[in-house]
Amino acid sequence: MSLLIIASVLLGIIVGKMGILAGFIQYIDLISTLALNLLLFSVGIELGRNKEIWQRLANYGWRIILIPLGVALGTLLGSAFISQAIDLPVNQALAVGAGFGWYSLSGVLLNELVSPELGTIAFLSNVFRELLAVIIIPLVALKFGSLTAVAPGGATSMDTTLPFVNKAAGADIALMAFISGATLTALVPILVPLFVNWPL
Amino acid sequence: MWTIFMALILGALLGWSNKLPGIFYKYTDKITMVGLMVLLFSMGISIGNNDQILKHLNSLGIKALAIATFSIIGSVLVIWFLQRKIFRGGEN
């Protein structure tokens, strides 16, 4: 499964680099959007079928919001922790981390607000987060318990990494992953500029 | 963004209604996998098609990988802590 994913991305990079399917490039956005919608449609069907999920969610109540806040806190602690070792100011490392895997937006934001260099780091870092999440979600769910499967994907837990959470941890955790991902997605455009303008 | 929500909600409503023919459910896994591969392939093309990213891949890649790795470690640890302290009742 992971091999299939890596192969898909690598094949895409090679195709993009070689300029094969050059006429196809302009349709990437449309195709990605369609694929994403198809993906979420089928995940939605799975969620809707499992009616006991909603019952369980109601039992969690307000505590559900602690999940995205916990993912955000852990991400920022980890980013701050490593900032000195990679020679980045703490606030810049936090801004990159606060992309939560949403590489397109965080890359563009930091490219505009700071420098193309930080924009590239943000883009790559959040691409890596998504790729690493896909690989590590099954392991994390197995070793640390099913709830931790919502953590690696960050904001991508609502779309691209959601199927992996669903597979590794079950549909009820996938619902929490979606809620967590949606909340984190909303936080990205708020936190990234905030950290950039935070003098440290 | 909103179309994503609508796709999910529409799917959830259809799943909830139980009105889809049984054979349909056999294919949702395959549809999910194909959709994902298309998505990842498209992402690869976007990366491969951007010279700036490829040029900076080595020099900036290490920093990016470090932040991604520690973001994941940090968030897993915090959620692990929450699972033990707060979500015990809901865990399996």
Side-chain angles (χ1 to χ4, degrees):
Chain A
M1 183 104 145
S2 294
L3 271 178
L4 213 57
I5 283 137
I6 293 161
S8 299
V9 177
L10 285 180
L11 192 67
I13 291 175
I14 292 164
V15 167
K17 177 73 178 158
M18 291 174 73
I20 317 166
L21 303 176
F24 175 79
I25 305 288
Q26 57 181 311
Y27 300 113
I28 286 178
D29 269 355
L30 182 66
I31 289 166
S32 303
T33 305
L34 287 175
L36 203 55
N37 283 303
L38 188 66
L39 208 64
L40 281 152
F41 179 66
S42 54
V43 170
I45 289 174
E46 285 300 312
L47 291 175
R49 280 176 74 202
N50 293 293
K51 292 180 179 150
E52 68 269 32
I53 294 171
W54 305 96
Q55 189 58 51
R56 283 209 207 174
L57 185 70
N59 294 340
Y60 286 129
W62 62 272
R63 290 178 298 174
I64 196 87
I65 198 69
L66 291 175
I67 296 173
L69 293 182
V71 174
L73 179 70
T75 297
L76 299 175
L77 286 175
S79 303
F81 175 78
I82 200 65
S83 62
Q84 215 167 12
I86 57 170
D87 206 21
L88 268 187
V90 176
N91 67 321
Q92 291 195 2
L94 288 172
V96 171
F100 300 129
W102 191 356
Y103 50 86
S104 51
L105 184 71
S106 60
V108 170
L109 275 176
L110 291 175
N111 182 57
E112 289 290 318
L113 295 173
V114 184
S115 64
E117 196 185 34
L118 198 67
T120 307
I121 293 176
F123 182 89
L124 289 175
S125 179
N126 287 293
V127 166
F128 286 149
R129 179 163 192 170
E130 183 177 285
L131 291 176
L132 288 174
V134 162
I135 295 163
I136 211 169
I137 281 168
L139 281 168
V140 163
L142 204 67
K143 294 279 175 194
F144 295 96
S146 51
L147 188 65
T148 59
V150 309
T156 71
S157 292
M158 73 175 289
D159 41 55
T160 48
T161 59
L162 186 57
F164 298 94
V165 177
N166 190 46
K167 195 148 197 157
D172 52 342
I173 300 292
L175 181 65
M176 292 188 201
F178 181 81
I179 292 166
S180 173
T183 310
L184 289 166
T185 298
L187 285 176
V188 175
I190 300 165
L191 289 181
V192 172
L194 208 68
F195 285 128
V196 164
N197 293 310
W198 180 22
L200 269 179
Chain B
M1 175 77 175
W2 292 109
T3 55
I4 289 170
F5 280 122
M6 282 168 65
L8 189 85
I9 292 166
L10 190 66
L13 288 175
L14 274 172
W16 182 277
S17 73
N18 260 333
K19 291 217 169 99
L20 288 170
I23 191 157
F24 193 87
Y25 298 125
K26 280 168 65 180
Y27 294 107
T28 48
D29 254 9
K30 286 201 177 79
I31 292 170
T32 304
M33 198 59 213
V34 169
L36 198 69
M37 282 176 64
V38 170
L39 222 58
L40 291 161
F41 179 66
S42 304
M43 191 181 82
I45 289 181
S46 308
I47 295 169
N49 198 42
N50 191 325
D51 283 340
Q52 281 302 102
I53 292 163
L54 288 179
K55 207 182 291 174
H56 290 114
L57 209 61
N58 285 336
S59 54
L60 305 176
I62 302 295
K63 292 180 180 189
L65 189 61
I67 294 176
T69 304
F70 280 85
S71 292
I72 290 176
I73 292 171
S75 56
V76 167
L77 289 178
V78 171
I79 296 303
W80 185 51
F81 176 82
L82 283 178
Q83 180 181 252
R84 288 168 63 100
K85 296 291 172 191
I86 294 164
F87 289 90
R88 232 173 344 197
E91 179 56 24
N92 293 332

